[in-house]
Amino acid sequence: MKAKKITAVILSIVMVLLAFASCGKKGSEEESSAAESETVTSEAVVNDLAAVKAAGVLKVGVTEFKPIDYRDSNNEWTGFDADFAKAVAEKLGVSVEFVEIDWDSKYIELESNQIDCIWNGMTITDEVKSNCSVSEPYVSNKQVVVMKSDDISKYSDIKSLADAGLTFAVEAGSAGESAAKDAGLTTVEVNAQSDTLMEVKSGTADGAVIDATMAAAMTGEGTDYSNLSAGLTLTEELYGIGFRKGSDLTAVVDKYIDELKSDGTLKTLADKYGLSLAE
């Protein structure tokens, strides 16, 4: 009988210890899960604002894109977006460093921290929104077909262009490339929007698909492309600024966009560079 009692006591102690162990494990798992949840939550916000202020500079990714971003006679970056970026940087209390990028690699430049934002007349698309945290729209734009002035009147609609067997120069990775392909046009890729006009002028492409803002600034009388002009509109669109996914700079810059709209700064820049602000 004593042996049975001793065995029963031992079994009871073992059961109690197992129960404690189970509770401890459950508690540890819950704590671990909570810690992981807190980590995910904290990693969802990218603290770019503090990093930019600590560095004292906002690195802005651009390409040569008149009248948005281009170099003046002193080799300094100017244009609507360049002046706009300088106004925002002033509000941030930092300077601006313009970094010329390959447009087709813009997301890589952003994620590798080579730049803090993409600020170069970037059309807001589903692709852009899937790769960036995007500001509110600030300028409205169109993608248009540019051809030699003698040729442009021959085509009354997009279908006539698509059926004509023509080749259109487009900037790789641009909204113009997407618009051209969606319209069924045959395309050839170049490195920059400005290069598309060179292709048309030289006759190596029949036309180009570029932003209406660039077409207005760089074609027609008094320009280097006086024999080129814009014709059909393929798409209408809005420009936005791209930041890293989750970047806290997005909300801050949105606030400054509203302020610069309210005080008339953006309207003055739009009038200066011949652009239309987003509603």
Side-chain angles (χ1 to χ4, degrees):
M1 292 295 289
K2 287 183 180 180
K4 289 183 180 180
K5 287 182 180 180
I6 291 170
T7 301
V9 170
I10 292 172
L11 286 173
S12 298
I13 293 171
V14 169
M15 292 297 290
V16 170
L17 291 173
L18 287 173
F20 274 119
S22 177
C23 289
K25 182 179 179 182
K26 182 178 180 182
S28 297
E29 289 174 347
E30 289 174 349
E31 288 172 6
S32 176
S33 177
E36 289 174 1
S37 177
E38 287 175 5
T39 301
V40 170
T41 301
S42 64
E43 288 178 353
V45 177
V46 179
N47 298 312
D48 284 332
L49 178 60
V52 165
K53 289 198 170 188
V57 61
L58 178 69
K59 293 180 290 184
V60 177
V62 299
T63 66
E64 187 84 21
F65 176 11
K66 194 173 185 179
I68 300 300
D69 291 306
Y70 61 99
R71 294 183 185 275
D72 63 16
S73 57
N74 296 316
N75 205 35
E76 299 291 333
W77 285 99
T78 188
F80 180 91
D81 275 10
D83 293 355
F84 183 12
K86 291 170 189 174
V88 168
E90 185 177 348
K91 286 181 174 289
L92 286 168
V94 300
S95 61
V96 179
E97 178 187 346
F98 294 102
V99 181
E100 195 163 8
I101 61 173
D102 179 342
W103 191 249
D104 204 27
S105 303
K106 56 187 176 290
Y107 305 130
I108 297 172
E109 299 276 1
L110 188 62
E111 289 305 317
S112 63
N113 293 304
Q114 299 303 305
I115 56 176
D116 298 310
C117 57
I118 305 165
W119 202 332
N120 191 225
M122 183 170 67
T123 300
I124 301 174
T125 64
D126 289 340
E127 177 197 336
V128 168
K129 289 188 284 188
S130 69
N131 285 280
C132 302
S133 175
V134 186
S135 73
E136 66 177 67
Y138 61 90
V139 158
S140 59
N141 184 47
K142 300 174 182 179
Q143 292 298 320
V144 297
V145 174
V146 172
M147 301 180 73
K148 290 181 179 176
S149 301
D150 293 341
D151 295 334
I152 199 75
S153 60
K154 298 177 183 177
Y155 305 98
S156 58
D157 56 26
I158 295 172
K159 188 176 186 306
S160 66
L161 278 177
D163 292 344
L166 306 175
T167 300
F168 293 84
V170 295
E171 180 186 35
S174 69
E177 180 182 31
S178 297
K181 289 183 175 178
D182 288 346
L185 305 182
T186 300
T187 62
V188 56
E189 293 182 0
V190 296
N191 291 328
Q193 284 202 76
S194 55
D195 292 343
T196 66
L197 300 178
M198 293 173 61
E199 297 287 329
V200 182
K201 184 177 181 178
S202 67
T204 53
D206 300 297
V209 178
I210 62 172
D211 292 68
T213 50
M214 174 176 275
M218 295 190 67
T219 64
E221 188 176 350
T223 71
D224 291 337
Y225 301 99
S226 57
N227 67 328
L228 304 185
S229 58
L232 295 170
T233 295
L234 299 187
T235 60
E236 297 193 11
E237 59 197 30
L238 296 168
Y239 286 167
I241 308 157
F243 301 92
R244 277 178 280 279
K245 279 283 193 180
S247 176
D248 55 357
L249 275 173
T250 313
V252 174
V253 172
D254 277 346
K255 175 182 165 224
Y256 293 150
I257 290 174
D258 291 339
E259 289 178 5
L260 292 167
K261 281 182 179 178
S262 297
D263 69 14
T265 299
L266 287 186
K267 178 65 167 63
T268 299
L269 289 178
D271 290 343
K272 177 180 177 180
Y273 293 105
L275 302 179
S276 299
L277 294 181
E279 297 295 330

